[in-house]
Each structure stands twice: as structure tokens, then as C-alpha cells.
Amino acid sequence: MLKRKHEDYLANIKHSFADNPTLFWSYHKAIHSNKQQSTIITHSDIIATTNPEKVNLFNSYFSSAFQPKSDRTCFEFNDASETVMQISEIQLETNEVCECLITLDTTKACGPDEIPARILKECALEISPSLCSLFNTSLKIGKVPDEWKKSNVTPVHKRDSRENVSNYRPISLLSIISKVMERCIHNRVYPILSALINKTQHGFL
């Protein structure tokens, strides 16, 4: 029975390649990543062989490699012709939240709350009023739930040896709900701030 199910799964991947190539490449990546996974991870003179040791080594390296710089250059906004509202004054509408939920990419991984994008997307009409109320309360009091400040950090191999921890980069998986709120705020403030952003800013807009 398991063999038949596996054959059906492979057949589905084959026949749906034209319409859904992501399914094929996800399967391809899963197979090759399992074969290439290193049994040990090293950094300097430290060798990690067990999963807890690897986790601690990655955590130690990422923490040391990504420290804030003290000599940051700050740019001032250009003069605004109109008064820009405070973020606490933003009042999101239910339809805005619903639209962001409906356009979620269901292939994206969820964060520590383990709420997948597919559930949020499929239940958009039902949950958008409650989420809208939550978002507006958060904006009004200037606080976000502590759970939204947590992330699952996944080391992603970038180059060269898979045994060297310095050849990995961290990817933080945040709560999808928090990113929905960010998208709603972005849609509101970007049209206003786009005229104020310094011309030397090129990325992350």
C-alpha cells in the first residue's frame, strides 16, 4: 500500500509539473538535501556531532557574526509638505486585512506559533475582523504580542564545505500573522513615505 501511494505521489508530481513546478523542485530539494547533509559541523577547533551540539554551535556563530555596528550613518528625511500621521493613528479596515490574508503564499513556512499560511488564507473572511481588531489595538498602544518577537532560525548552506558553520546563513521564520500586520501597515504608509525616503536608499523598500 505504501509503495502504491508513493508511486501515485510521483505520478502526481510528473503530471502537475507544467502547472505546479514548485512541487517537483521541493521533492528534488528534499532528496538531495538529505543525501548531502553533513554528519559533523565545525568551527575553529570545535567539532559538533550531536544535534544539540550543532544547534549550540550555530547559535554561537550566528550571535557572534551578526552584531550591530556602532558607526552607522543616519540619513535625515527630506522636508515633508504635509504633516505625516503617527503610526498609532492608523486605523486598519477589515477588507485590508482580508486582502493581505487572501494573497498569502501558502508555500511559506510558518513561525514559532505553527499557524500555517494555508489556514490563514482559507479562513480569511472569518478571521479578518478579529485580526483587524488585534492589529488596531497593537498600533494604538504601541506594543505587539511577545510571540511575534520570536523566530525559528534555520541555517541555510550557501557555499563550499557543509561541515564549516561559517558557510551557512541564518533564515528567521517569523509568525505569519505578524507579517500580515506588517504588510497592512506597509500598504498604508509607503505611499506617504516614498516621497520622503532618501535617494541613496536602494534596497528593502
Side-chain angles (χ1 to χ4, degrees):
M1 181 177 179
L2 290 176
K3 183 178 180 181
R4 172 64 64 84
K5 289 294 184 181
H6 182 64
E7 291 175 349
D8 292 342
Y9 175 67
L10 294 179
N12 179 51
I13 293 176
K14 178 181 178 181
H15 293 123
S16 63
F17 180 77
D19 298 325
N20 186 17
T22 302
L23 185 61
F24 167 78
W25 290 114
S26 296
Y27 178 72
H28 178 274
K29 182 178 180 180
I31 293 178
H32 286 271
S33 61
N34 289 335
K35 290 181 178 179
Q36 298 175 4
Q37 188 173 7
S38 177
T39 56
I40 65 171
I41 296 294
T42 65
H43 182 58
S44 298
D45 297 328
I46 303 175
I47 300 177
T49 56
T50 66
N51 287 337
E53 290 176 345
K54 293 176 183 178
V55 169
N56 290 330
L57 187 56
F58 274 118
N59 181 60
S60 177
Y61 173 73
F62 290 154
S63 298
S64 64
F66 294 90
Q67 295 292 335
K69 296 181 179 180
S70 58
D71 57 343
R72 291 179 176 177
T73 301
C74 296
F75 296 99
E76 296 183 358
F77 283 129
N78 298 323
D79 293 335
S81 57
E82 299 179 1
T83 302
V84 179
M85 70 169 62
Q86 298 293 322
I87 194 168
S88 59
E89 298 175 358
I90 295 176
Q91 281 289 315
L92 299 174
E93 301 292 339
T94 301
N95 64 306
E96 296 177 81
V97 178
C98 187
E99 182 178 352
C100 288
L101 290 171
I102 291 175
T103 56
L104 282 174
D105 184 351
T106 57
T107 64
K108 298 297 184 181
C110 56
D113 58 11
E114 298 184 349
I115 301 177
R118 179 167 294 280
I119 289 181
L120 297 174
K121 183 173 184 175
E122 296 293 337
C123 302
L125 291 175
E126 291 77 13
I127 66 177
S128 53
S130 298
L131 288 181
C132 183
S133 177
L134 174 62
F135 295 164
N136 283 330
T137 300
S138 178
L139 289 168
K140 183 177 180 180
I141 65 177
K143 294 182 179 180
V144 296
D146 290 338
E147 288 297 318
W148 293 1
K149 302 175 185 178
K150 300 176 182 179
S151 66
N152 292 333
V153 180
T154 301
V156 177
H157 179 253
K158 291 296 183 180
R159 63 179 184 276
D160 302 332
S161 173
R162 290 180 175 271
E163 295 183 357
N164 193 330
V165 72
S166 63
N167 293 331
Y168 291 78
R169 295 294 178 269
I171 299 296
S172 296
L173 302 177
L174 301 167
S175 167
I176 296 177
I177 294 179
S178 70
K179 291 191 283 188
V180 170
M181 179 177 173
E182 290 176 3
R183 174 54 55 181
C184 291
I185 297 173
H186 171 273
N187 292 342
R188 280 293 194 93
V189 303
Y190 182 74
I192 300 173
L193 295 180
S194 59
L196 307 177
I197 295 175
N198 194 285
K199 294 182 179 180
T200 59
Q201 175 70 37
H202 295 286
F204 303 103
L205 298 179

